[in-house]
Amino acid sequence: MNGPLVVVGDTLLDRDVDGTVSRICPDAPAPVLDERTATDRPGGAGLAALLAAAAGGEVALVTALADDAGGARLAELLTEVDVALYPMRLPGATAEKIRLRAGGQTLLRLDRGGDPQAPGEPSPAVRELLGRAGAILVSDYGRGLLRQPALRAALAEASAPVVWDPHPRGPAPVPGTRLTTPNLDELRRVTGDAGGGSALTTAMRAGQELRRRWRVGAMSVTMGPDGAVLCHGGATPLVLPPSSVPEHVEDTCGAGDRFAAAAALALGEGAPLAEAVRAAVEAASAYVAAGGAAGLRREPEATACPDPARTAEDLITRVRADGGTVVATGGCFDILHAGHLSTLRAARRLGDCLVVCLNSDASVRGLKGPERPVNPAGDRARLLAALDCVDAVVVFDEPTPHQVLARLRPDVWVKGGDYADGELPEAELVRRWGGQVVTVPYLADRSTTATISAAHQRGLHLVRTVV
């Protein structure tokens, strides 16, 4: 495919809480769930992007993320699987769907996040991304992203094939949409078809009616274990059953996302419409047979110490609530010197708070060699946090701060003036959410390497203090 698959839509945070039920609540006729594990994963368009990335190829996600812990968690989960994230600003809270489960069954679903709110404008990077996409999958979950006028205009202008997975509360697809993929229940709700006759008859009748109403190229109505019905410009719809039906179905959550992602990938590769829908049917069937969303669950990580990024996220939320500007910078800061202080003070003057992204000890060793760092991350973080120009410090393990930046999404990313814009691997990432990348004046002849070298020349040895 010539260009990435770009997924556009509402992203939610899904959490599965699994446990056991052995008693009834004494004050109400309700089962008591003893929690054993809790697993987070992206939901909505985020799940579609995750499934597409698992199938291979380059995947980017355009979505709206809130400035809260849920939004940061989504950014973390998506960047972990190499989905390129292009976030738009989302007022309010992250939408969460929490499923309480026991014995493979969902007992209750708890929804959080409140009513949907209108997202911010897409950045220029989003418009550029849609212009070079190999295929576009619109994953509408009815929370308002697809009503954003500038985003709809960019989708309408895109030359790549567009697959639109609609929602009954969402808007109609943009003109030029190649394929829409409602399930039978969604089709009935959108058209108001009472469903007279068999499910197949309803799918063909209502599918053709909605295809004409929306003026889309084709409509593929998904029908669970019965496959899909493709309503196109011809007089006779095409029925595409799966080659095999799973004997045991544990979890169908995400099957529609898998279907739509597979269809978009196939169309992006140049497959004819019928072949793309056939491939989508088989992909969705295999996904359900493998356990559906349950097959995506990872073993929960051991409980760790409180994450310092949470403090930074709370700070960022407060600053943005007051209409302020979030500034971030990064580095090893192994031996704090006047050059560091100059850069940090200049960075702090560019906004209303400064977050320092600090390389961990392992990250520094990978970048600088086995003799570095001289000072451990805990000491470096405490020294930075003690400066009046630094509001929060976040330690990261990767060679570059890409993941923590995607999580925090600062408005301005700052580096010292010894860097040129083309040398910054973070520049393209920061621009995805409309952020700016700037340099500030750097004091010449001030560097940690030079400090260590000078100390060695004078016969001094910099050693780490062990207590």
Side-chain angles (χ1 to χ4, degrees):
M1 185 163 58
N2 186 23
L5 170 67
V6 179
V7 182
V8 182
D10 310 290
T11 299
L12 308 88
L13 180 60
D14 282 350
R15 173 169 295 160
D16 289 337
V17 178
D18 286 276
T20 58
V21 174
S22 58
R23 64 191 189 279
I24 299 298
C25 181
D27 54 355
V32 175
L33 179 71
D34 289 317
E35 180 179 339
R36 294 291 183 264
T37 62
T39 307
D40 296 343
R41 67 172 182 274
L47 178 58
L50 184 151
L51 294 173
E58 183 183 359
V59 178
L61 173 63
V62 177
T63 192
L65 292 182
D67 291 320
D68 60 7
R73 180 61 174 150
L74 282 171
E76 180 181 40
L77 292 168
L78 290 161
T79 54
E80 280 179 356
V81 294
D82 295 326
V83 172
L85 192 58
Y86 287 73
M88 297 161 56
R89 186 64 55 81
L90 179 65
T94 297
E96 298 183 39
K97 295 186 180 298
I98 304 168
R99 295 174 178 84
L100 305 181
R101 297 167 50 85
Q105 300 294 321
T106 298
L107 307 179
L108 178 72
R109 195 183 87 183
L110 171 66
D111 287 2
R112 292 176 176 166
D115 294 332
Q117 297 196 42
E121 292 276 328
S123 68
V126 168
R127 299 184 182 93
E128 186 274 335
L129 172 71
L130 293 172
R132 62 180 174 86
I136 297 172
L137 167 59
V138 174
S139 184
D140 188 2
Y141 272 75
R143 295 193 65 83
L145 182 74
L146 275 307
R147 296 186 184 277
Q148 213 287 329
L151 182 61
R152 288 185 64 85
L155 286 168
E157 293 169 1
S159 58
V162 176
V163 174
W164 196 290
D165 193 5
H167 191 279
R169 293 196 303 270
V174 299
T177 295
R178 181 80 177 278
L179 176 69
T180 57
T181 61
N183 62 38
L184 184 58
D185 179 63
E186 291 168 340
L187 181 67
R188 285 171 170 162
R189 291 167 65 186
V190 172
T191 60
D193 194 303
S198 67
L200 178 60
T201 300
T202 302
M204 292 190 295
R205 178 181 62 245
Q208 289 287 34
E209 193 275 329
L210 188 58
R211 184 186 68 83
R212 288 189 291 267
R213 183 198 303 178
W214 278 351
R215 299 180 181 179
V216 296
M219 179 147 320
S220 178
V221 184
T222 56
M223 302 178 64
D226 295 323
V229 176
L230 178 60
C231 302
H232 48 82
T236 306
L238 178 64
V239 178
L240 296 158
S243 57
S244 62
V245 178
E247 294 182 4
H248 172 71
V249 175
E250 179 180 348
D251 190 353
T252 62
C253 177
D257 298 299
R258 183 69 187 97
F259 179 95
L265 286 167
L267 290 175
E269 295 289 351
L273 190 60
E275 289 185 17
V277 175
R278 187 184 303 277
V281 168
E282 297 303 329
S285 180
Y287 168 79
V288 172
L296 300 174
R297 295 186 188 116
R298 301 178 299 177
E299 290 298 320
E301 298 177 358
T303 302
C305 296
D307 187 347
R310 296 299 181 202
T311 302
E313 289 158 10
D314 292 342
L315 168 70
I316 289 170
T317 299
R318 292 196 303 271
V319 169
R320 286 187 171 145
D322 293 335
T325 298
V326 177
V327 182
T329 189
C332 300
F333 298 96
D334 194 0
I335 299 177
L336 206 59
H337 54 69
H340 290 145
L341 187 60
S342 174
T343 296
L344 293 169
R345 284 178 171 169
R348 181 61 177 82
R349 286 193 289 268
L350 297 175
D352 300 283
C353 72
L354 175 62
V355 179
V356 176
C357 302
L358 180 68
N359 294 74
S360 70
D361 294 345
S363 177
V364 174
R365 281 193 294 272
L367 295 171
K368 305 291 186 179
E371 299 302 317
R372 301 279 299 275
V374 172
N375 293 303
D379 289 354
R380 291 183 281 128
R382 280 191 288 272
L383 286 170
L384 287 166
L387 299 176
D388 58 4
C389 55
V390 175
D391 297 284
V393 180
V394 180
V395 180
F396 64 93
D397 285 319
E398 299 76 24
T400 69
H402 279 67
Q403 287 196 19
V404 72
L405 282 176
R407 185 174 176 177
L408 302 177
R409 305 191 302 281
D411 302 302
V412 183
W413 173 246
V414 180
K415 295 295 282 187
D418 58 332
Y419 286 88
D421 182 68
E423 296 173 339
L424 288 177
E426 307 90 6
E428 188 272 335
L429 172 70
V430 173
R431 293 190 182 108
R432 290 178 187 173
W433 54 81
Q436 295 178 301
V437 178
V438 302
T439 57
V440 295
Y442 186 82
L443 292 181
D445 302 322
R446 305 294 201 284
S447 76
T448 301
T449 302
T451 301
I452 294 173
S453 177
H456 287 163
Q457 289 174 5
R458 296 170 185 172
L460 302 175
H461 298 283
L462 298 174
V463 295
R464 185 178 301 167
T465 301
V466 180
V467 179

